[in-house]
Amino acid sequence: MSPSGARVYFVESRVLPMLDIQVDFAAGSMFDPEGKAGLAALTRSGLDLGAGKRDETAIAEQLADIGANLGGGADTDRASVALRTLSARDKREQGLDILRSVLHAPRFEADIFEREKARTIAGLKEAMTRPESIAGKAFWSAMYPAHPYGQQATPESVASLTRDDLASFHARYYNAANASITLVGDISRRDAEKIAEGLAAGLPKGAAASLPAAPETPAGSVVKLAHPASQAHVYIGLPAVERGNPDYFPLLVGNYTLGGGGFVSRLMKEVRDKRGYAYSVYSYFAPMRQTGPFQIGLQTKRSQAKDAIKVARDVLDGFLKDGPTDEELTAAKANLIGSFPLRLDSNAKILANVSLIAFYGMPLDYLDNYQAKVQAVTAEDIKQAFARRVRPADLITVTVAAD
């Protein structure tokens, strides 16, 4: 914890002369005020388009001069700003100066704001013509009808936003108490502490964002939306699990067999290999700050959508009833454990994993214990976790462009 109240995580890595920093805030779309969906995303996109004494061109040119890069973005739970820079003191100090100004003093200039708002509205209008985007929005709205997770940005909601809305959102959520800072790279712990406090000290101390009531699982439903596309888009799922839940590892291991293991998964074998209904079919769990979704997804010919959905549901029902075989369980563990080192084979990947631990308050030994947690999962653990989290009667099915 920094003196200013931000959570700080550091991994020393001397392999490359690089420093990666990510600052995460609980400032994702779940914090959009009612009627102002899209505010979190527009606020985040405006941070590095002019800050402090620099306009957007100056920021871009100075980053290019030192070979540094600013990244990040906003999702449902969080907004992130990331800096990758050379670790040499002269280079990193210039990069850090830019990062500090972006975090502490974004300009949200009127003409830039209007440009980005227009660009966002155009993007939303274009997305409303694509079946996969229509299906995704409808799916989240159906899963979270009374929770901010289900709130969707529209051209109208973005059009109503003002520059003052962005400034107010930034002032409320971009504060030290609401921040986690992750550093990975070629610096000492002492330097890491100094850098982190320099980033946090310029933020208002503020207060951590308060979360809404946990989402309730809606009753199962079927949503059918017309569209002229030749391919039907199908999503099946429900709110299932939050970050840090003990059921996560049994769900992760079990889902490899169900639909997460590519060509060896049951869904792929039954829907694609045996019947040719879809080129790709998958399932996954997406744990979030609050209850995130379980989802099955596929595309198929319009005329085959009904049959493909039945096969997918039958595969799921069979898995819920019997769980994985001993061979499937062994194969799932071998893949998840064997591929785990590839998730940590670069500073960027280490940063991504550690920033998740920081933001979601997961145990410090989460990565150390990952493989052992996977190995410890039993078939019975999987059956029980799936029974608790994936209830057939509560499943929501959304189809776009199906006959």
Side-chain angles (χ1 to χ4, degrees):
M1 187 76 73
S2 77
S4 297
R7 300 179 303 282
V8 181
Y9 291 65
F10 169 57
V11 178
E12 185 174 340
S13 176
R14 300 288 189 173
V15 178
L16 296 172
M18 301 293 297
L19 172 62
D20 287 278
I21 302 172
Q22 183 164 314
V23 186
D24 292 300
F25 298 90
S29 63
M30 72 179 294
F31 300 105
D32 282 341
E34 189 171 351
K36 296 184 182 293
L39 176 57
L42 199 58
T43 301
R44 168 58 192 90
S45 69
L47 293 183
D48 49 7
L49 299 178
K53 297 178 180 179
R54 302 174 179 90
D55 62 16
E56 62 175 326
T57 302
I59 290 174
E61 289 178 346
Q62 289 182 30
L63 288 169
D65 287 344
I66 60 172
N69 178 62
L70 267 183
D75 60 22
T76 311
D77 284 340
R78 60 178 173 161
S80 308
V81 183
L83 172 71
R84 163 161 271 212
T85 180
L86 291 167
S87 57
R89 188 173 297 274
D90 60 331
K91 296 291 193 297
R92 81 175 188 232
E93 286 304 326
Q94 293 181 64
L96 287 167
D97 188 56
I98 294 172
L99 177 60
R100 284 191 294 268
S101 67
V102 164
L103 293 173
H104 303 160
R107 291 181 177 184
F108 301 127
E109 296 177 46
D111 57 338
I112 304 289
F113 164 70
E114 292 298 337
R115 183 193 73 195
E116 293 304 304
K117 183 164 81 165
R119 181 180 294 172
T120 301
I121 291 170
L124 289 168
K125 288 180 176 178
E126 191 275 330
M128 290 168 64
T129 68
R130 291 186 277 111
E132 67 273 19
S133 179
I134 294 169
K137 288 178 179 288
F139 186 61
W140 279 77
S141 294
M143 283 195 298
Y144 300 101
H147 188 274
Y149 279 173
Q151 187 174 225
Q152 304 290 330
T154 65
E156 293 75 23
S157 69
V158 173
S160 72
L161 300 177
T162 67
R163 184 212 170 273
D164 288 345
D165 289 327
L166 271 66
S168 296
F169 189 90
H170 179 266
R172 167 63 186 91
Y173 292 104
Y174 286 76
N175 63 62
N178 207 33
S180 58
I181 302 171
T182 307
L183 306 95
V184 177
D186 180 29
I187 56 172
S188 67
R189 174 170 178 156
R190 181 179 178 182
D191 283 342
E193 291 175 348
K194 182 179 178 182
I195 290 168
E197 180 54 18
L199 295 172
L203 295 167
K205 284 203 172 182
S210 56
L211 299 178
E216 296 181 5
T217 301
S221 62
V222 176
V223 179
K224 296 182 178 180
L225 300 172
H227 194 280
S230 60
Q231 289 274 305
H233 291 252
V234 178
Y235 292 149
I236 303 167
L238 78 171
V241 66
E242 70 280 359
R243 284 274 176 194
N245 191 289
D247 279 341
Y248 174 68
F249 279 98
L251 296 173
L252 172 72
V253 177
N255 186 66
Y256 183 88
T257 295
L258 174 62
F263 288 103
V264 302
S265 73
R266 290 190 188 180
L267 282 170
M268 188 73 87
K269 290 177 180 176
E270 296 296 327
V271 177
R272 173 186 159 136
D273 295 350
K274 290 187 179 180
R275 297 169 178 83
Y277 285 155
Y279 177 76
S280 175
V281 57
Y282 60 84
S283 64
Y284 65 82
F285 290 89
M288 297 166 61
R289 173 64 66 83
Q290 296 187 292
T291 314
F294 163 72
Q295 180 173 329
I296 295 173
L298 62 94
Q299 294 178 44
T300 188
K301 291 180 182 177
R302 301 177 63 104
S303 59
Q304 295 177 340
K306 185 176 180 181
D307 292 335
I309 291 169
K310 183 181 186 306
V311 173
R313 288 292 302 261
D314 287 346
V315 170
L316 176 60
D317 289 344
F319 188 80
L320 291 170
K321 178 176 179 291
D322 300 325
T325 65
D326 289 343
E327 287 183 0
E328 288 173 328
L329 181 59
T330 299
K333 290 181 179 181
N335 181 275
L336 292 168
I337 292 171
S339 64
F340 180 73
L342 298 177
R343 296 177 55 181
L344 300 170
D345 63 359
S346 70
N347 284 8
K349 291 181 183 179
I350 294 171
L351 182 77
N353 280 281
V354 177
S355 66
L356 279 177
I357 291 170
F359 181 78
Y360 288 107
M362 295 154 68
L364 288 175
D365 59 2
Y366 177 82
L367 295 174
D368 294 330
N369 293 336
Y370 181 94
Q371 291 166 300
K373 293 267 192 182
V374 169
Q375 185 60 50
V377 171
T378 67
E380 188 58 30
D381 291 336
I382 292 169
K383 286 182 65 176
Q384 291 183 12
F386 268 79
R388 283 189 290 268
R389 303 293 166 179
V390 183
R391 301 164 301 280
D394 293 332
L395 287 170
I396 291 159
T397 302
V398 171
T399 62
V400 176
D403 288 341

